[in-house]
Amino acid sequence: MSKKKEKKIDWENLEPEEQLKYEIAEELGLLDRVKEEGWKSLSAKETGRIGGLMTRRKQEMKARALKGEQEEMLEELQ
């Protein structure tokens, strides 16, 4: 069998969603293992936790953006 080539991570040009995923992995203490062994080394529970936290943070960011837009509209009306 052939070895799969390791995919190099361009830390400077990550998409925002990818950057969030790596940040959460770091917060959970999983980033070193991901760097060494890849995402497949994580259990379903660990990847589910990362996905759940990503979803929560995206919702929070969206809510803050909407709140900011509403505040701007209220200021314009006054």
Side-chain angles (χ1 to χ4, degrees), residues 46-61:
E46 292 166 332
T47 55
R49 182 75 176 134
I50 291 170
L53 290 170
M54 285 178 66
T55 300
R56 182 184 301 162
R57 295 227 183 126
K58 286 185 208 176
Q59 289 172 344
E60 289 171 355
M61 287 187 277

Side-chain angles (χ1 to χ4, degrees), residues 3-5 9 13 17 19-22 29 37-38 43 47 52 56 60 63 65-66 68 70 74 78:
K3 262 189 170 179
K4 286 189 177 182
K5 291 184 180 179
I9 300 168
N13 297 313
E17 190 167 304
Q19 186 174 2
L20 179 60
K21 183 167 65 170
Y22 283 104
E37 303 171 34
S43 69
T47 55
R56 182 184 301 162
E60 289 171 355
L66 289 174
Q70 290 173 346
L74 288 173
Q78 294 177 358

Side-chain angles (χ1 to χ4, degrees), residues 21-67:
K21 183 167 65 170
Y22 283 104
E23 286 174 11
I24 292 171
E26 182 176 29
E27 290 169 13
L28 296 175
L30 302 170
L31 186 58
D32 290 335
R33 195 164 74 191
V34 169
K35 284 180 178 180
E36 291 173 19
E37 303 171 34
W39 291 104
K40 290 185 178 187
S41 67
L42 301 181
S43 69
K45 184 177 182 179
E46 292 166 332
T47 55
R49 182 75 176 134
I50 291 170
L53 290 170
M54 285 178 66
T55 300
R56 182 184 301 162
R57 295 227 183 126
K58 286 185 208 176
Q59 289 172 344
E60 289 171 355
M61 287 187 277
K62 188 175 181 180
R64 278 185 289 209
L66 289 174
K67 185 177 180 182

